[in-house]
Amino acid sequence: MGRHFEVRAAAMAATAKAKSAIYMRASREIYAAAKSGEPDPNSNLALRAAIEKYRKQCPRDVIDRAIEKAKGGDTVAYIQGRYEFMGPSGSNIIVDTLTDNVNRALVTVRTICTRKGAKMASVAYNFEQLGALNFKYANASEIEEALILGDVDVTSVEDIGEGNVEVHVAPHALEDAKKVLADLGVTDFDRCEITMIPNEWVTASDDDLPKLKAMLEELDEAEDVQNVYTNVENL
């Protein structure tokens, strides 16, 4: 099935507050990527990946302003963080933050999760970091053959219905996969990013599902939260 592993992708722009949060995350991540090297996506792979990730989620001017800010004298230092939780119904939740205030990020994330019945626990081993690409193409087998012949480190190719294909590759192979797909005429992606994909899925009970949805919605709108991953299949 065509799972959107990264919770934000399924819930983006559901409310004005959520849309504002997306724009903030995009600006912060693109700014940090631009500051990590040259503020030019042609020579800065991290910046190119960040732009691709948010290209369909926010207006171009949000992206351009973040890059221009990085070119200027602004020196905000964003710090990455990761927090892991075991939640109701055997759910696993990973929360990535990008913040200029680590204490604020920790308190916010921990408060949201614990109030909804989750507790901090090591769960990252239940996930695999992979490159994920979603796009329109009529023949998934043709995609798989091209990737294999192109010596791309591909994990899976799946027809997810309605002319959509989902491809998973090793993180280092994401750009190689895009080059092979471009030769087949695929240059427009609904999703193109490095993400965390669960090794096993769980189904939340009817009692737990509302709590999990509320938790993820609050995390989605939290100021310092950048990405949220979960292994709950029936969200």
Side-chain angles (χ1 to χ4, degrees), residues 4 53 55-56 134-136 164 188-192:
H4 289 277
K53 177 179 178 179
R55 185 171 57 85
K56 288 196 171 183
N134 289 59
F135 51 90
K136 292 280 187 182
N164 294 292
D188 187 33
F189 300 94
D190 293 323
R191 186 185 191 201
C192 180

Side-chain angles (χ1 to χ4, degrees), residues 12-31:
M12 72 175 189
T15 66
K17 188 175 181 181
K19 183 181 290 187
S20 176
I22 289 170
Y23 294 174
M24 183 185 301
R25 287 194 300 275
S27 179
R28 190 164 47 211
E29 190 166 334
I30 290 166
Y31 169 87

Side-chain angles (χ1 to χ4, degrees), residues 143-194:
I143 293 292
E144 183 171 20
E145 181 180 2
L147 290 170
I148 292 172
L149 291 175
D151 201 27
V152 175
D153 190 354
V154 59
T155 301
S156 66
V157 177
E158 187 177 0
D159 182 339
I160 58 176
E162 300 182 354
N164 294 292
V165 175
E166 186 169 74
V167 172
H168 295 149
V169 299
H172 67 82
L174 187 62
E175 288 298 316
D176 291 338
K178 287 172 64 178
K179 291 175 183 176
V180 170
L181 293 171
D183 290 338
L184 294 176
V186 179
T187 56
D188 187 33
F189 300 94
D190 293 323
R191 186 185 191 201
C192 180
E193 61 178 315
I194 306 297

Side-chain angles (χ1 to χ4, degrees), residues 73-121:
D74 195 284
T75 57
V76 177
Y78 289 114
I79 301 169
Q80 295 179 331
R82 170 163 288 180
Y83 307 98
E84 304 169 37
F85 296 86
M86 177 72 75
S89 292
S91 59
N92 297 163
I93 302 102
I94 296 177
V95 183
D96 286 344
T97 58
L98 187 62
T99 180
D100 59 352
N101 188 323
V102 174
N103 290 333
R104 181 186 65 212
L106 170 59
V107 170
T108 299
V109 170
R110 186 169 57 191
T111 299
I112 291 172
C113 292
T114 55
R115 282 179 177 174
K116 296 298 187 295
K119 60 182 179 180
M120 297 189 83

